[in-house]
Every structure is written in C-alpha cells, then in structure tokens.
Amino acid sequence: MLIRAIPSNVTYEFAEDVRAGLNVPGQKELPSKYLYDDVGSALFEVISHLPQYGLTRADERLLRRHASDIVDRVSGPVAVTELGSGSGKKTRWLLEAFCRRQRTSYYPIEISHSALVMCKRELSDIDAISIVGLEREYLDGLLEVAAYRKRDQRLFVLFLGSTIGNFDRAAGVKFLSAVRSILEPGDSLLLGTDLEKPSWQLLQAYDDELGVTAAFNLNLLGRINRQLGADFDLAQFAHVARLNHEARSVEMHLRSKRRQVVSIPAAEVVVEFQPDETIWTESSHKYSAGEIFQLAQQTGFRCEVQWIDQQWPFAENLLVAE
Ligand code: AVJ
C-alpha cells in the first residue's frame, strides 16, 4: 500500500497544543487525538476486546450483519474513505461487499502511522481493492480524497466507532457541516454513534478492572515524556472516568496524587499540579437514536436508515448529503 505521510511538523504542533492545554489557569486539558500514538493505538485495540467495552464489537456486528444492505443503498462507482480507520478490521465487510460489485478504491485517513500499516496488512487480501493510506488530519485527508474523485464517482465516507462522540455536541455539528461542505449531493456518510446507557455500564466501560483504559490514558503522559522530553512521574497520576450528566458524556481525566511540578522542555513550560487537580483528556458523548436524525438535518444531510445493535446499544446511521 501507498502511505502518504504528513508533510508538516507534527512534533511542533504537539508541543504547542500541550503548552496551550496545560499552561492555563482553570481546567487543564489535552486533546484526545494525542492518545493515539503507536502505544496508544495498540492499547485501544486491546480495549476493544474487553468484555466491559462493547462499543467496537457492536459497531463491527452491525457492519457485518448489514454490509450488503448498506452497500446496496450506495449506487454506482464509489471511492470509499474512512476518517480514523484504526486497524481497519471492522471495515472489511463493507469493502468486500463493494469489491464484489466493482473495483473499489479505499482511502483510510489516519494520524497513526502504525495503524495505517496494520490497516494495509488487514485488508489488502480483498479482491479488486486498491488502498491508499493518508497520514493526515480528517478534513485535510478528506479534501485530498475529494480532489482524486473521478467524474462519475460517489464518495462514501466512513466515520465509525463513535469517534464523533469525542467532539462536544456543538463541535460535532461544526465538524459534520465541514465534512458536508467537501461532499457533493448524493454522496454519503456512514456515521457510527454510541447510544446512551446506564451509568454503571458506562463507568465500567471506561474504567475496566484490568487497568487497560488507565494505561491508555496514562500513556498520554508517557508520550509527552518520550516526544517532548518531559519528566512526568506516571505513578503520581491516576486514571479517572467521570460521568457528565449535563453533557451526556463520559470524561477521562488524569488526577494528580499530590502537589508536583513537571517540566516539559520541548513545550518550554513548567507546570504545577495541586493535589487532586486533573487533566481532562477525553470526552465520549452518548446519543439518543432520535437525535441523529436532527443532527443530520442540521448539517446538510438526511439520515436515510439507522441500524441499532440490541446487545450493546449502538447505531449505524446512513446519512446522505442533500
Ligand atoms: C474510539 C474514541 C470511540 O470514546 O469510547 C475508549 C476511545 N476512550 N476508552 C471512546 C476510548 C476510552 C473511544 N473512541
């Protein structure tokens, strides 16, 4: 597979975001996209196998069960692109269905290089597929794919795994509108959304007893140590999963166990933590099935079909650009 790597200075942007997020008076915060370096992507892969975390398996069950139905609703020649492909495992069923119909190009867009390599390994055995991986941010990658599109081709965009949930609701609307502005009427977006569920179930899903989610979260500090030369003592921070009822989200934080001072040379900051002060590292918003229809309408799409998993409430939504 071809992988087009990022031309820009990634470490510089990381340093800037770390400085901006930690060098503030109120709630310290780090963007959740930085959880996914090579170690973080591998840890998320393990999370997706945990019995307490049913999200990824529900997503995959729906895609497998309804692959031909989904593909039948997208007519003509298509270019398939995926925002954040990860290992690419759950995309197999859709790609096989498309490739049975005709030769299909697949453009995974992913900021993790190792995930792109895994994705190629996972999917290149499919007949009549051509894979071009783009090591890019979502919208940059999507613009590039849109530029490759042939005259008669439709774009079929996958945004699976409820990654949309990492945006707060307003930012989610903004993001989907931006995606829509790159598409043509008749193009489609398959959007995976995790649905609301009981508090105990959410807390177990984001704070598993094995500590994999804790490791996934703490790795963000490890990454700052590795890439920016910081001296975080990981033993002095604890993983916290917290419900935000108002936002209808689960938040992950890293709680400082004591007063401590950390220096981050490449970001040119020294950061002080009070006892129990937290760094907010991720939000996972949960949706009601009905609100997706509204979300689609607000962002220039129409939600044509919704498939819901019964075992782990999760919805696969087919949005068509109007
Ligand atoms: C892959 C972003 C959907 O928010 O549930 C898993 C990431 N964080 N456990 C999520 C995650 C903690 C996951 N997403």
PDB file of all heavy atoms in Angstrom, residues 57-93:
ATOM      1  N   ARG A  57     -17.219  -3.863  19.285  1.00  0.00           N
ATOM      2  CA  ARG A  57     -17.817  -5.117  18.799  1.00  0.00           C
ATOM      3  C   ARG A  57     -19.229  -4.886  18.272  1.00  0.00           C
ATOM      4  O   ARG A  57     -19.646  -5.514  17.296  1.00  0.00           O
ATOM      5  CB  ARG A  57     -17.793  -6.175  19.904  1.00  0.00           C
ATOM      6  CG  ARG A  57     -16.383  -6.667  20.233  1.00  0.00           C
ATOM      7  CD  ARG A  57     -16.384  -7.820  21.232  1.00  0.00           C
ATOM      8  NE  ARG A  57     -17.027  -7.494  22.490  1.00  0.00           N
ATOM      9  CZ  ARG A  57     -16.449  -6.835  23.496  1.00  0.00           C
ATOM     10  NH1 ARG A  57     -15.191  -6.436  23.391  1.00  0.00           N
ATOM     11  NH2 ARG A  57     -17.112  -6.569  24.610  1.00  0.00           N
ATOM     12  N   ALA A  58     -19.972  -3.968  18.907  1.00  0.00           N
ATOM     13  CA  ALA A  58     -21.318  -3.646  18.411  1.00  0.00           C
ATOM     14  C   ALA A  58     -21.223  -3.024  17.020  1.00  0.00           C
ATOM     15  O   ALA A  58     -21.967  -3.390  16.099  1.00  0.00           O
ATOM     16  CB  ALA A  58     -22.018  -2.697  19.375  1.00  0.00           C
ATOM     17  N   ASP A  59     -20.300  -2.112  16.864  1.00  0.00           N
ATOM     18  CA  ASP A  59     -20.053  -1.454  15.585  1.00  0.00           C
ATOM     19  C   ASP A  59     -19.758  -2.518  14.521  1.00  0.00           C
ATOM     20  O   ASP A  59     -20.365  -2.540  13.443  1.00  0.00           O
ATOM     21  CB  ASP A  59     -18.841  -0.521  15.780  1.00  0.00           C
ATOM     22  CG  ASP A  59     -18.682   0.525  14.699  1.00  0.00           C
ATOM     23  OD1 ASP A  59     -19.595   0.692  13.879  1.00  0.00           O
ATOM     24  OD2 ASP A  59     -17.630   1.194  14.689  1.00  0.00           O
ATOM     25  N   GLU A  60     -18.853  -3.422  14.863  1.00  0.00           N
ATOM     26  CA  GLU A  60     -18.454  -4.451  13.890  1.00  0.00           C
ATOM     27  C   GLU A  60     -19.603  -5.409  13.571  1.00  0.00           C
ATOM     28  O   GLU A  60     -19.802  -5.789  12.419  1.00  0.00           O
ATOM     29  CB  GLU A  60     -17.238  -5.226  14.404  1.00  0.00           C
ATOM     30  CG  GLU A  60     -16.703  -6.152  13.328  1.00  0.00           C
ATOM     31  CD  GLU A  60     -15.411  -6.865  13.704  1.00  0.00           C
ATOM     32  OE1 GLU A  60     -14.871  -6.598  14.787  1.00  0.00           O
ATOM     33  OE2 GLU A  60     -14.974  -7.692  12.882  1.00  0.00           O
ATOM     34  N   ARG A  61     -20.380  -5.784  14.606  1.00  0.00           N
ATOM     35  CA  ARG A  61     -21.538  -6.671  14.366  1.00  0.00           C
ATOM     36  C   ARG A  61     -22.500  -6.044  13.371  1.00  0.00           C
ATOM     37  O   ARG A  61     -22.974  -6.705  12.450  1.00  0.00           O
ATOM     38  CB  ARG A  61     -22.302  -6.878  15.687  1.00  0.00           C
ATOM     39  CG  ARG A  61     -21.995  -8.174  16.405  1.00  0.00           C
ATOM     40  CD  ARG A  61     -23.019  -8.514  17.464  1.00  0.00           C
ATOM     41  NE  ARG A  61     -23.263  -7.461  18.437  1.00  0.00           N
ATOM     42  CZ  ARG A  61     -22.515  -7.205  19.517  1.00  0.00           C
ATOM     43  NH1 ARG A  61     -21.437  -7.929  19.774  1.00  0.00           N
ATOM     44  NH2 ARG A  61     -22.831  -6.233  20.349  1.00  0.00           N
ATOM     45  N   LEU A  62     -22.791  -4.760  13.556  1.00  0.00           N
ATOM     46  CA  LEU A  62     -23.738  -4.078  12.671  1.00  0.00           C
ATOM     47  C   LEU A  62     -23.201  -4.022  11.247  1.00  0.00           C
ATOM     48  O   LEU A  62     -23.928  -4.260  10.280  1.00  0.00           O
ATOM     49  CB  LEU A  62     -24.009  -2.657  13.182  1.00  0.00           C
ATOM     50  CG  LEU A  62     -24.873  -2.557  14.439  1.00  0.00           C
ATOM     51  CD1 LEU A  62     -24.806  -1.149  15.018  1.00  0.00           C
ATOM     52  CD2 LEU A  62     -26.317  -2.941  14.130  1.00  0.00           C
ATOM     53  N   LEU A  63     -21.911  -3.706  11.114  1.00  0.00           N
ATOM     54  CA  LEU A  63     -21.324  -3.581   9.784  1.00  0.00           C
ATOM     55  C   LEU A  63     -21.318  -4.932   9.080  1.00  0.00           C
ATOM     56  O   LEU A  63     -21.579  -5.024   7.876  1.00  0.00           O
ATOM     57  CB  LEU A  63     -19.903  -3.028   9.885  1.00  0.00           C
ATOM     58  CG  LEU A  63     -19.810  -1.583  10.376  1.00  0.00           C
ATOM     59  CD1 LEU A  63     -18.367  -1.207  10.666  1.00  0.00           C
ATOM     60  CD2 LEU A  63     -20.426  -0.624   9.364  1.00  0.00           C
ATOM     61  N   ARG A  64     -21.059  -5.982   9.841  1.00  0.00           N
ATOM     62  CA  ARG A  64     -21.002  -7.311   9.252  1.00  0.00           C
ATOM     63  C   ARG A  64     -22.392  -7.771   8.822  1.00  0.00           C
ATOM     64  O   ARG A  64     -22.612  -8.229   7.706  1.00  0.00           O
ATOM     65  CB  ARG A  64     -20.424  -8.276  10.289  1.00  0.00           C
ATOM     66  CG  ARG A  64     -20.183  -9.636   9.730  1.00  0.00           C
ATOM     67  CD  ARG A  64     -19.397 -10.477  10.712  1.00  0.00           C
ATOM     68  NE  ARG A  64     -18.858 -11.639  10.018  1.00  0.00           N
ATOM     69  CZ  ARG A  64     -17.940 -12.434  10.522  1.00  0.00           C
ATOM     70  NH1 ARG A  64     -17.435 -12.185  11.712  1.00  0.00           N
ATOM     71  NH2 ARG A  64     -17.508 -13.469   9.843  1.00  0.00           N
ATOM     72  N   ARG A  65     -23.333  -7.578   9.742  1.00  0.00           N
ATOM     73  CA  ARG A  65     -24.702  -8.063   9.508  1.00  0.00           C
ATOM     74  C   ARG A  65     -25.376  -7.314   8.362  1.00  0.00           C
ATOM     75  O   ARG A  65     -26.144  -7.904   7.610  1.00  0.00           O
ATOM     76  CB  ARG A  65     -25.500  -7.873  10.801  1.00  0.00           C
ATOM     77  CG  ARG A  65     -26.856  -8.531  10.799  1.00  0.00           C
ATOM     78  CD  ARG A  65     -27.470  -8.521  12.204  1.00  0.00           C
ATOM     79  NE  ARG A  65     -26.683  -9.285  13.167  1.00  0.00           N
ATOM     80  CZ  ARG A  65     -26.731  -9.082  14.493  1.00  0.00           C
ATOM     81  NH1 ARG A  65     -27.502  -8.126  15.012  1.00  0.00           N
ATOM     82  NH2 ARG A  65     -26.010  -9.836  15.312  1.00  0.00           N
ATOM     83  N   HIS A  66     -25.093  -6.011   8.234  1.00  0.00           N
ATOM     84  CA  HIS A  66     -25.851  -5.198   7.274  1.00  0.00           C
ATOM     85  C   HIS A  66     -25.023  -4.734   6.090  1.00  0.00           C
ATOM     86  O   HIS A  66     -25.455  -3.861   5.335  1.00  0.00           O
ATOM     87  CB  HIS A  66     -26.473  -4.007   7.993  1.00  0.00           C
ATOM     88  CG  HIS A  66     -27.379  -4.400   9.121  1.00  0.00           C
ATOM     89  ND1 HIS A  66     -28.594  -5.015   8.910  1.00  0.00           N
ATOM     90  CD2 HIS A  66     -27.226  -4.323  10.462  1.00  0.00           C
ATOM     91  CE1 HIS A  66     -29.159  -5.275  10.083  1.00  0.00           C
ATOM     92  NE2 HIS A  66     -28.342  -4.877  11.045  1.00  0.00           N
ATOM     93  N   ALA A  67     -23.830  -5.329   5.917  1.00  0.00           N
ATOM     94  CA  ALA A  67     -22.921  -4.848   4.863  1.00  0.00           C
ATOM     95  C   ALA A  67     -23.590  -4.773   3.494  1.00  0.00           C
ATOM     96  O   ALA A  67     -23.521  -3.737   2.821  1.00  0.00           O
ATOM     97  CB  ALA A  67     -21.679  -5.721   4.801  1.00  0.00           C
ATOM     98  N   SER A  68     -24.278  -5.844   3.088  1.00  0.00           N
ATOM     99  CA  SER A  68     -24.798  -5.809   1.713  1.00  0.00           C
ATOM    100  C   SER A  68     -25.962  -4.832   1.608  1.00  0.00           C
ATOM    101  O   SER A  68     -26.128  -4.165   0.580  1.00  0.00           O
ATOM    102  CB  SER A  68     -25.158  -7.201   1.210  1.00  0.00           C
ATOM    103  OG  SER A  68     -25.997  -7.825   2.127  1.00  0.00           O
ATOM    104  N   ASP A  69     -26.733  -4.706   2.672  1.00  0.00           N
ATOM    105  CA  ASP A  69     -27.826  -3.735   2.690  1.00  0.00           C
ATOM    106  C   ASP A  69     -27.277  -2.306   2.563  1.00  0.00           C
ATOM    107  O   ASP A  69     -27.785  -1.486   1.789  1.00  0.00           O
ATOM    108  CB  ASP A  69     -28.596  -3.896   4.017  1.00  0.00           C
ATOM    109  CG  ASP A  69     -29.934  -3.185   4.002  1.00  0.00           C
ATOM    110  OD1 ASP A  69     -30.298  -2.631   2.946  1.00  0.00           O
ATOM    111  OD2 ASP A  69     -30.602  -3.178   5.048  1.00  0.00           O
ATOM    112  N   ILE A  70     -26.222  -2.025   3.312  1.00  0.00           N
ATOM    113  CA  ILE A  70     -25.611  -0.695   3.277  1.00  0.00           C
ATOM    114  C   ILE A  70     -25.071  -0.397   1.873  1.00  0.00           C
ATOM    115  O   ILE A  70     -25.355   0.646   1.284  1.00  0.00           O
ATOM    116  CB  ILE A  70     -24.476  -0.576   4.326  1.00  0.00           C
ATOM    117  CG1 ILE A  70     -25.049  -0.687   5.756  1.00  0.00           C
ATOM    118  CG2 ILE A  70     -23.703   0.730   4.165  1.00  0.00           C
ATOM    119  CD1 ILE A  70     -23.996  -0.881   6.854  1.00  0.00           C
ATOM    120  N   VAL A  71     -24.318  -1.348   1.351  1.00  0.00           N
ATOM    121  CA  VAL A  71     -23.674  -1.155   0.048  1.00  0.00           C
ATOM    122  C   VAL A  71     -24.716  -1.009  -1.069  1.00  0.00           C
ATOM    123  O   VAL A  71     -24.553  -0.208  -1.991  1.00  0.00           O
ATOM    124  CB  VAL A  71     -22.694  -2.324  -0.207  1.00  0.00           C
ATOM    125  CG1 VAL A  71     -22.274  -2.394  -1.664  1.00  0.00           C
ATOM    126  CG2 VAL A  71     -21.468  -2.172   0.697  1.00  0.00           C
ATOM    127  N   ASP A  72     -25.828  -1.744  -0.970  1.00  0.00           N
ATOM    128  CA  ASP A  72     -26.890  -1.647  -1.983  1.00  0.00           C
ATOM    129  C   ASP A  72     -27.527  -0.261  -2.031  1.00  0.00           C
ATOM    130  O   ASP A  72     -28.135   0.120  -3.019  1.00  0.00           O
ATOM    131  CB  ASP A  72     -27.990  -2.675  -1.698  1.00  0.00           C
ATOM    132  CG  ASP A  72     -27.536  -4.072  -2.096  1.00  0.00           C
ATOM    133  OD1 ASP A  72     -26.491  -4.192  -2.773  1.00  0.00           O
ATOM    134  OD2 ASP A  72     -28.215  -5.058  -1.706  1.00  0.00           O
ATOM    135  N   ARG A  73     -27.425   0.471  -0.940  1.00  0.00           N
ATOM    136  CA  ARG A  73     -28.030   1.809  -0.904  1.00  0.00           C
ATOM    137  C   ARG A  73     -27.109   2.884  -1.478  1.00  0.00           C
ATOM    138  O   ARG A  73     -27.483   4.050  -1.546  1.00  0.00           O
ATOM    139  CB  ARG A  73     -28.406   2.170   0.536  1.00  0.00           C
ATOM    140  CG  ARG A  73     -29.616   1.413   1.015  1.00  0.00           C
ATOM    141  CD  ARG A  73     -29.774   1.551   2.503  1.00  0.00           C
ATOM    142  NE  ARG A  73     -30.796   0.648   2.990  1.00  0.00           N
ATOM    143  CZ  ARG A  73     -32.100   0.929   3.009  1.00  0.00           C
ATOM    144  NH1 ARG A  73     -32.523   2.094   2.585  1.00  0.00           N
ATOM    145  NH2 ARG A  73     -32.962   0.040   3.448  1.00  0.00           N
ATOM    146  N   VAL A  74     -25.900   2.500  -1.821  1.00  0.00           N
ATOM    147  CA  VAL A  74     -24.951   3.440  -2.426  1.00  0.00           C
ATOM    148  C   VAL A  74     -24.708   2.973  -3.855  1.00  0.00           C
ATOM    149  O   VAL A  74     -24.043   1.971  -4.065  1.00  0.00           O
ATOM    150  CB  VAL A  74     -23.619   3.462  -1.639  1.00  0.00           C
ATOM    151  CG1 VAL A  74     -22.663   4.487  -2.220  1.00  0.00           C
ATOM    152  CG2 VAL A  74     -23.870   3.725  -0.158  1.00  0.00           C
ATOM    153  N   SER A  75     -25.259   3.706  -4.836  1.00  0.00           N
ATOM    154  CA  SER A  75     -25.230   3.179  -6.197  1.00  0.00           C
ATOM    155  C   SER A  75     -24.015   3.691  -6.978  1.00  0.00           C
ATOM    156  O   SER A  75     -23.384   4.670  -6.583  1.00  0.00           O
ATOM    157  CB  SER A  75     -26.518   3.590  -6.915  1.00  0.00           C
ATOM    158  OG  SER A  75     -26.607   4.994  -6.903  1.00  0.00           O
ATOM    159  N   GLY A  76     -23.711   3.000  -8.066  1.00  0.00           N
ATOM    160  CA  GLY A  76     -22.659   3.434  -8.989  1.00  0.00           C
ATOM    161  C   GLY A  76     -21.264   3.208  -8.458  1.00  0.00           C
ATOM    162  O   GLY A  76     -21.075   2.600  -7.415  1.00  0.00           O
ATOM    163  N   PRO A  77     -20.263   3.694  -9.218  1.00  0.00           N
ATOM    164  CA  PRO A  77     -18.873   3.555  -8.776  1.00  0.00           C
ATOM    165  C   PRO A  77     -18.610   4.464  -7.570  1.00  0.00           C
ATOM    166  O   PRO A  77     -19.044   5.606  -7.563  1.00  0.00           O
ATOM    167  CB  PRO A  77     -18.045   4.033  -9.970  1.00  0.00           C
ATOM    168  CG  PRO A  77     -18.998   4.518 -10.998  1.00  0.00           C
ATOM    169  CD  PRO A  77     -20.389   4.403 -10.498  1.00  0.00           C
ATOM    170  N   VAL A  78     -17.906   3.919  -6.579  1.00  0.00           N
ATOM    171  CA  VAL A  78     -17.650   4.707  -5.368  1.00  0.00           C
ATOM    172  C   VAL A  78     -16.180   4.708  -4.993  1.00  0.00           C
ATOM    173  O   VAL A  78     -15.463   3.757  -5.255  1.00  0.00           O
ATOM    174  CB  VAL A  78     -18.411   4.168  -4.134  1.00  0.00           C
ATOM    175  CG1 VAL A  78     -19.865   4.515  -4.193  1.00  0.00           C
ATOM    176  CG2 VAL A  78     -18.208   2.675  -3.967  1.00  0.00           C
ATOM    177  N   ALA A  79     -15.759   5.802  -4.384  1.00  0.00           N
ATOM    178  CA  ALA A  79     -14.489   5.829  -3.678  1.00  0.00           C
ATOM    179  C   ALA A  79     -14.853   5.818  -2.200  1.00  0.00           C
ATOM    180  O   ALA A  79     -15.662   6.629  -1.747  1.00  0.00           O
ATOM    181  CB  ALA A  79     -13.711   7.082  -4.031  1.00  0.00           C
ATOM    182  N   VAL A  80     -14.276   4.854  -1.472  1.00  0.00           N
ATOM    183  CA  VAL A  80     -14.575   4.736  -0.043  1.00  0.00           C
ATOM    184  C   VAL A  80     -13.447   5.379   0.743  1.00  0.00           C
ATOM    185  O   VAL A  80     -12.270   5.134   0.467  1.00  0.00           O
ATOM    186  CB  VAL A  80     -14.691   3.248   0.366  1.00  0.00           C
ATOM    187  CG1 VAL A  80     -14.989   3.123   1.857  1.00  0.00           C
ATOM    188  CG2 VAL A  80     -15.762   2.539  -0.455  1.00  0.00           C
ATOM    189  N   THR A  81     -13.782   6.229   1.693  1.00  0.00           N
ATOM    190  CA  THR A  81     -12.759   6.807   2.546  1.00  0.00           C
ATOM    191  C   THR A  81     -13.198   6.690   3.994  1.00  0.00           C
ATOM    192  O   THR A  81     -14.386   6.639   4.289  1.00  0.00           O
ATOM    193  CB  THR A  81     -12.460   8.273   2.151  1.00  0.00           C
ATOM    194  OG1 THR A  81     -11.415   8.775   2.993  1.00  0.00           O
ATOM    195  CG2 THR A  81     -13.680   9.155   2.287  1.00  0.00           C
ATOM    196  N   GLU A  82     -12.231   6.579   4.881  1.00  0.00           N
ATOM    197  CA  GLU A  82     -12.581   6.399   6.286  1.00  0.00           C
ATOM    198  C   GLU A  82     -11.801   7.379   7.152  1.00  0.00           C
ATOM    199  O   GLU A  82     -10.578   7.511   7.040  1.00  0.00           O
ATOM    200  CB  GLU A  82     -12.277   4.948   6.719  1.00  0.00           C
ATOM    201  CG  GLU A  82     -12.587   4.698   8.186  1.00  0.00           C
ATOM    202  CD  GLU A  82     -12.674   3.223   8.549  1.00  0.00           C
ATOM    203  OE1 GLU A  82     -12.359   2.364   7.698  1.00  0.00           O
ATOM    204  OE2 GLU A  82     -13.059   2.950   9.700  1.00  0.00           O
ATOM    205  N   LEU A  83     -12.532   8.087   8.015  1.00  0.00           N
ATOM    206  CA  LEU A  83     -11.907   9.036   8.933  1.00  0.00           C
ATOM    207  C   LEU A  83     -11.490   8.272  10.181  1.00  0.00           C
ATOM    208  O   LEU A  83     -12.337   7.853  10.963  1.00  0.00           O
ATOM    209  CB  LEU A  83     -12.898  10.154   9.296  1.00  0.00           C
ATOM    210  CG  LEU A  83     -13.603  10.834   8.109  1.00  0.00           C
ATOM    211  CD1 LEU A  83     -14.609  11.877   8.598  1.00  0.00           C
ATOM    212  CD2 LEU A  83     -12.575  11.486   7.187  1.00  0.00           C
ATOM    213  N   GLY A  84     -10.193   8.036  10.354  1.00  0.00           N
ATOM    214  CA  GLY A  84      -9.712   7.282  11.504  1.00  0.00           C
ATOM    215  C   GLY A  84      -9.985   5.801  11.347  1.00  0.00           C
ATOM    216  O   GLY A  84     -10.850   5.242  12.012  1.00  0.00           O
ATOM    217  N   SER A  85      -9.233   5.142  10.459  1.00  0.00           N
ATOM    218  CA  SER A  85      -9.510   3.732  10.150  1.00  0.00           C
ATOM    219  C   SER A  85      -9.078   2.806  11.268  1.00  0.00           C
ATOM    220  O   SER A  85      -9.593   1.706  11.388  1.00  0.00           O
ATOM    221  CB  SER A  85      -8.758   3.340   8.888  1.00  0.00           C
ATOM    222  OG  SER A  85      -7.368   3.526   9.102  1.00  0.00           O
ATOM    223  N   GLY A  86      -8.133   3.224  12.114  1.00  0.00           N
ATOM    224  CA  GLY A  86      -7.561   2.283  13.083  1.00  0.00           C
ATOM    225  C   GLY A  86      -7.005   1.081  12.341  1.00  0.00           C
ATOM    226  O   GLY A  86      -6.449   1.230  11.243  1.00  0.00           O
ATOM    227  N   SER A  87      -7.205  -0.100  12.904  1.00  0.00           N
ATOM    228  CA  SER A  87      -6.663  -1.322  12.294  1.00  0.00           C
ATOM    229  C   SER A  87      -7.392  -1.692  11.008  1.00  0.00           C
ATOM    230  O   SER A  87      -6.929  -2.533  10.247  1.00  0.00           O
ATOM    231  CB  SER A  87      -6.779  -2.488  13.270  1.00  0.00           C
ATOM    232  OG  SER A  87      -8.140  -2.856  13.400  1.00  0.00           O
ATOM    233  N   GLY A  88      -8.563  -1.107  10.768  1.00  0.00           N
ATOM    234  CA  GLY A  88      -9.312  -1.385   9.552  1.00  0.00           C
ATOM    235  C   GLY A  88     -10.145  -2.664   9.607  1.00  0.00           C
ATOM    236  O   GLY A  88     -10.862  -2.997   8.666  1.00  0.00           O
ATOM    237  N   LYS A  89     -10.068  -3.352  10.742  1.00  0.00           N
ATOM    238  CA  LYS A  89     -10.685  -4.675  10.855  1.00  0.00           C
ATOM    239  C   LYS A  89     -12.181  -4.667  10.558  1.00  0.00           C
ATOM    240  O   LYS A  89     -12.670  -5.493   9.805  1.00  0.00           O
ATOM    241  CB  LYS A  89     -10.440  -5.215  12.273  1.00  0.00           C
ATOM    242  CG  LYS A  89     -10.084  -6.673  12.289  1.00  0.00           C
ATOM    243  CD  LYS A  89      -9.442  -7.096  13.600  1.00  0.00           C
ATOM    244  CE  LYS A  89     -10.464  -7.249  14.705  1.00  0.00           C
ATOM    245  NZ  LYS A  89      -9.839  -7.380  16.031  1.00  0.00           N
ATOM    246  N   LYS A  90     -12.899  -3.719  11.152  1.00  0.00           N
ATOM    247  CA  LYS A  90     -14.358  -3.764  11.002  1.00  0.00           C
ATOM    248  C   LYS A  90     -14.841  -3.230   9.659  1.00  0.00           C
ATOM    249  O   LYS A  90     -16.013  -3.345   9.329  1.00  0.00           O
ATOM    250  CB  LYS A  90     -15.032  -3.032  12.163  1.00  0.00           C
ATOM    251  CG  LYS A  90     -14.662  -1.597  12.265  1.00  0.00           C
ATOM    252  CD  LYS A  90     -15.127  -0.997  13.582  1.00  0.00           C
ATOM    253  CE  LYS A  90     -14.623   0.430  13.644  1.00  0.00           C
ATOM    254  NZ  LYS A  90     -14.654   1.018  14.946  1.00  0.00           N
ATOM    255  N   THR A  91     -13.910  -2.671   8.865  1.00  0.00           N
ATOM    256  CA  THR A  91     -14.291  -2.132   7.564  1.00  0.00           C
ATOM    257  C   THR A  91     -14.314  -3.212   6.484  1.00  0.00           C
ATOM    258  O   THR A  91     -14.870  -3.027   5.409  1.00  0.00           O
ATOM    259  CB  THR A  91     -13.314  -0.997   7.167  1.00  0.00           C
ATOM    260  OG1 THR A  91     -13.185  -0.113   8.279  1.00  0.00           O
ATOM    261  CG2 THR A  91     -13.826  -0.185   6.005  1.00  0.00           C
ATOM    262  N   ARG A  92     -13.704  -4.369   6.823  1.00  0.00           N
ATOM    263  CA  ARG A  92     -13.591  -5.463   5.860  1.00  0.00           C
ATOM    264  C   ARG A  92     -14.913  -5.817   5.194  1.00  0.00           C
ATOM    265  O   ARG A  92     -14.999  -5.963   3.976  1.00  0.00           O
ATOM    266  CB  ARG A  92     -13.007  -6.707   6.545  1.00  0.00           C
ATOM    267  CG  ARG A  92     -13.248  -8.021   5.794  1.00  0.00           C
ATOM    268  CD  ARG A  92     -12.509  -9.167   6.431  1.00  0.00           C
ATOM    269  NE  ARG A  92     -11.068  -8.953   6.372  1.00  0.00           N
ATOM    270  CZ  ARG A  92     -10.284  -9.311   5.341  1.00  0.00           C
ATOM    271  NH1 ARG A  92     -10.822  -9.910   4.289  1.00  0.00           N
ATOM    272  NH2 ARG A  92      -9.006  -9.086   5.369  1.00  0.00           N
ATOM    273  N   TRP A  93     -15.991  -5.923   5.984  1.00  0.00           N
ATOM    274  CA  TRP A  93     -17.268  -6.437   5.465  1.00  0.00           C
ATOM    275  C   TRP A  93     -17.838  -5.506   4.405  1.00  0.00           C
ATOM    276  O   TRP A  93     -18.335  -5.950   3.368  1.00  0.00           O
ATOM    277  CB  TRP A  93     -18.253  -6.650   6.614  1.00  0.00           C
ATOM    278  CG  TRP A  93     -17.536  -7.198   7.817  1.00  0.00           C
ATOM    279  CD1 TRP A  93     -17.315  -6.567   9.003  1.00  0.00           C
ATOM    280  CD2 TRP A  93     -16.887  -8.468   7.918  1.00  0.00           C
ATOM    281  NE1 TRP A  93     -16.567  -7.359   9.831  1.00  0.00           N
ATOM    282  CE2 TRP A  93     -16.291  -8.529   9.203  1.00  0.00           C
ATOM    283  CE3 TRP A  93     -16.744  -9.562   7.052  1.00  0.00           C
ATOM    284  CZ2 TRP A  93     -15.564  -9.644   9.637  1.00  0.00           C
ATOM    285  CZ3 TRP A  93     -16.026 -10.662   7.492  1.00  0.00           C
ATOM    286  CH2 TRP A  93     -15.449 -10.692   8.761  1.00  0.00           C
TER     287      TRP A  93
END
